[in-house]
Amino acid sequence: MIIKAVKLYENGFMKQPFAFGGEEGPDQFDPSVMYRSSLQNYVIDTGSEVILVDTGLPDGFPDQAPDEKTPLFMGTRIEDYLDALKTAGYDPKDVSKILITHKHDDHTGMIAAFPNAKVYISPEDADALDLKGENIVRLTYGDGEYKGFPKTQIVSDGIRIIEAKGHTKGNSIVIAEDKDYYFMFHGDVTYTDEALYANKLSVVFEDIVASRETLDRVRAFIRGNPTVYLSTHTPLGYENLENLRVIDLENPPESVPVGEIVYRTPTGKYICGVCGYLYDPEKGDPTQGIPPGTPFSELPDDWHCPRCKREKSNFNPA
């Protein structure tokens, strides 16, 4: 089995209140404490098939323009998804299966580029994205318990999708067994590994009780099995992979400082930091009666993301 990161963005940051504040509240944490951020998804090459875990943002998606208030900045673009996949050594026609951890755009943005691949996704998130077609496999989690996780589904030899609700109502994780290691592709159970070690949930969730249950099960699994933890939003994800670093919850590594932050000129568009929805003033938002030509600053206080229903405060300049 060969596992590679599909690297999309680098040199970003996230603030501690965003990454740690899900249960106690962001006000209990220090916004001056920042952790490295990035964006990458993964590809699993079993030798007989090529399997993607999530599919990045849509090609051409506008970059963020962070400011001092930005809670999560994924960083500067390395490549669009299909180019990054080719850099990893794979062509879209090679892909037979796509395993979706959850519905957000940075995990599902390029599904349409793989019409011949089977897409495995929870029923809840498939409904949220209105995914239909013969290639859409709605997960049933019919293969029973697996090492402390109650509901799982085998998708290939040594590879399972596991129900892990909380971050979204249909959230899942993927575990691949290879030799002496368990590779855990967890989507956004945590946004940074520092939160895993500290046992903290992010502020992004649809069900906080389920999020806590999922993180507890993840930590219990890691304590009992040699686990390489493959995150989406921190370079620790691919660094763990490249170094075959097994997580030891009792001995967290020292955090690497965030590099120089490059601020950009905003375009007037805004991106939802939770689900990736793009508000374009030229289009407005007909779902909430917002006419074309309405700047983001003039949206009413009770306006919310049309996709994930989160408040205006979760949007960042693009």
Side-chain angles (χ1 to χ4, degrees):
M1 183 181 291
I2 298 171
I3 300 172
K4 292 185 179 181
V6 183
K7 298 178 182 179
L8 305 169
Y9 286 77
E10 62 183 356
N11 300 325
F13 65 84
M14 70 182 77
K15 296 181 178 178
Q16 190 182 66
F18 172 88
F20 281 31
E23 290 176 306
E24 295 96 328
D27 293 344
Q28 300 301 308
F29 298 94
D30 186 351
S32 70
V33 177
M34 295 193 292
Y35 306 108
R36 294 182 297 157
S37 186
S38 59
L39 177 63
Q40 61 277 335
N41 300 135
Y42 297 92
V43 56
I44 305 171
D45 185 343
T46 69
S48 59
E49 60 181 340
V50 175
I51 301 172
L52 303 182
V53 181
D54 295 333
T55 67
L57 285 165
D59 283 359
F61 197 82
D63 292 339
Q64 284 179 280
D67 58 26
E68 291 79 3
K69 297 180 180 179
T70 300
L72 168 66
F73 172 50
M74 291 184 291
T76 55
R77 188 190 308 261
I78 303 171
E79 293 180 295
D80 282 338
Y81 184 83
L82 293 181
D83 292 332
L85 183 63
K86 290 179 181 178
T87 296
Y90 298 95
D91 190 89
K93 63 180 176 56
D94 300 328
V95 176
S96 57
K97 294 174 182 173
I98 300 172
L99 314 181
I100 297 297
T101 62
H102 63 284
K103 64 187 177 184
H104 293 157
D105 278 5
D106 49 344
H107 298 260
T108 61
M110 291 299 290
I111 288 176
F114 304 91
N116 297 321
K118 291 189 177 296
V119 179
Y120 292 73
I121 185 171
S122 69
E124 298 92 338
D125 282 3
D127 287 343
L129 295 174
D130 195 27
L131 290 179
K132 299 175 182 177
E134 294 183 359
N135 68 317
I136 305 301
V137 180
R138 298 165 69 90
L139 295 169
T140 61
Y141 303 110
D143 290 314
E145 187 271 348
Y146 173 77
K147 295 183 179 291
F149 293 105
K151 295 182 179 181
T152 73
Q153 183 167 335
I154 298 170
V155 295
S156 188
D157 187 27
I159 302 174
R160 291 176 183 256
I161 296 186
I162 293 164
E163 186 179 68
K165 294 176 180 290
H167 182 64
T168 68
K169 293 178 180 178
N171 204 76
S172 61
I173 62 178
V174 176
I175 294 180
E177 300 180 36
D178 188 41
K179 301 182 176 68
D180 297 326
Y181 298 99
Y182 295 82
F183 295 88
M184 180 180 284
F185 310 80
H186 66 84
D188 296 340
V189 170
T190 60
Y191 272 80
T192 186
D193 291 19
E194 285 89 349
L196 171 72
Y197 287 104
N199 196 18
K200 300 296 183 183
L201 293 170
S202 82
V203 298
V204 185
F205 55 81
E206 293 184 349
D207 185 331
I208 189 63
V209 174
S211 291
R212 168 46 60 191
E213 291 174 352
T214 289
L215 183 55
D216 288 346
R217 288 183 179 125
V218 164
R219 285 168 55 86
F221 179 93
I222 288 171
R223 284 197 173 95
N225 303 279
T227 303
V228 182
Y229 194 67
L230 302 181
S231 298
T232 300
H233 287 288
T234 170
L236 283 164
Y238 57 76
E239 291 169 4
N240 290 343
L241 177 61
E242 292 163 359
N243 295 297
L244 283 179
R245 182 185 297 139
V246 171
I247 295 293
D248 179 356
L249 292 176
E250 308 309 319
N251 294 285
E254 185 175 350
S255 292
V256 175
V258 171
E260 182 181 0
I261 299 171
V262 178
Y263 294 107
R264 296 187 177 128
T265 302
T267 63
K269 299 176 183 179
Y270 277 71
I271 300 172
C272 178
V274 175
C275 73
Y277 172 82
L278 179 69
Y279 177 76
D280 184 346
E282 293 186 2
K283 297 179 180 178
D285 175 18
T287 69
Q288 297 178 71
I290 305 300
T294 303
F296 186 83
S297 61
E298 295 182 10
L299 293 174
D301 291 341
D302 61 353
W303 183 86
H304 55 264
C305 176
R307 180 177 296 144
C308 72
K309 313 305 181 187
R310 298 299 287 263
E311 298 83 3
K312 282 177 61 178
S313 58
N314 291 285
F315 278 71
N316 304 310

